[in-house]
């Protein structure tokens, strides 16, 4: 486990206080501009742009973390399904040149056409405003409570 106070995410800085489920090689954090409520990212700690640049150990750790985070997100958000997506390179729509996996809880009827989620991911642009509190992730009172549930699940396990 890292003792870092900040993780690099491409050119962006992610304060450790805004992360949950930190492992030896990756960390998870809540997306500030979610496509759907509960949209989270799992990223490698080491700054590499492409999946093929990860070591075997980093690659395995990333997917174990994705599985663990997915289970909690699906349960807390009472999702029917999940979109788990990697945009591996700029031409694939990667907005930050740093390996990361999007996890989006899905519900019946959340998009008119199911594949609209991919258009939203394609248009996704990552930004980090200046923030001091996890509460910046609020989208609605219910969403803030659910995000706190996800974060608490990992911080207490």
């Amino acid at each position: 486990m890292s003792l870092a106070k900040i993780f690099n995410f491409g050119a962006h800085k992610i304060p450790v206080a805004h992360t949950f489920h930190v492992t030896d090689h990756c960390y998870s954090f809540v997306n500030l501009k979610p496509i759907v409520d509960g949209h989270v990212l799992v990223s490698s700690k080491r700054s590499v742009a492409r999946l093929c640049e990860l070591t075997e150990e980093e690659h395995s750790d990333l997917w174990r973390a994705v599985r663990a985070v997915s289970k909690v997100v699906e349960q807390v958000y009472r999702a029917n399904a999940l979109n788990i997506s990697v945009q591996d390179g700029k031409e694939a729509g990667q907005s930050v040149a740093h390996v990361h996996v999007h996890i989006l809880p899905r519900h019946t009827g959340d998009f008119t056409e199911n594949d609209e989620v991919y258009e939203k991911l394609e248009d996704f642009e990552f930004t980090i405003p200046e923030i001091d509190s996890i509460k910046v992730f609020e989208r609605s009172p219910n969403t803030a409570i659910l995000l706190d549930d996800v974060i608490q699940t990992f911080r207490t396990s």
Side-chain angles (χ1 to χ4, degrees), residues 60-120:
S60 294
D61 189 58
L62 177 74
W63 290 105
R64 280 191 303 271
V66 166
R67 183 175 58 202
V69 171
S70 295
K71 287 178 183 179
V72 172
V73 167
E74 188 168 12
Q75 178 185 1
V76 170
Y77 282 87
R78 297 185 176 140
N80 304 79
L82 298 168
N83 276 107
I84 298 173
S85 174
V86 176
Q87 295 159 306
D88 195 28
K90 183 177 180 179
E91 287 74 18
Q94 186 182 42
S95 61
V96 175
H98 190 128
V99 170
H100 61 284
V101 180
H102 293 262
I103 301 172
L104 294 88
R106 298 293 307 275
H107 299 90
T108 303
D110 55 2
F111 289 95
T112 306
E113 297 290 330
N114 196 41
D115 284 349
E116 282 180 55
V117 70
Y118 300 111
E119 293 171 22
K120 297 284 186 186

Side-chain angles (χ1 to χ4, degrees), residues 1-7 16 22-27 45:
M1 185 89 62
S2 173
L3 297 176
K5 296 204 186 279
I6 298 244
F7 290 117
V16 170
V22 177
T23 67
D24 289 340
H25 300 288
C26 62
Y27 60 96
K45 285 183 181 176

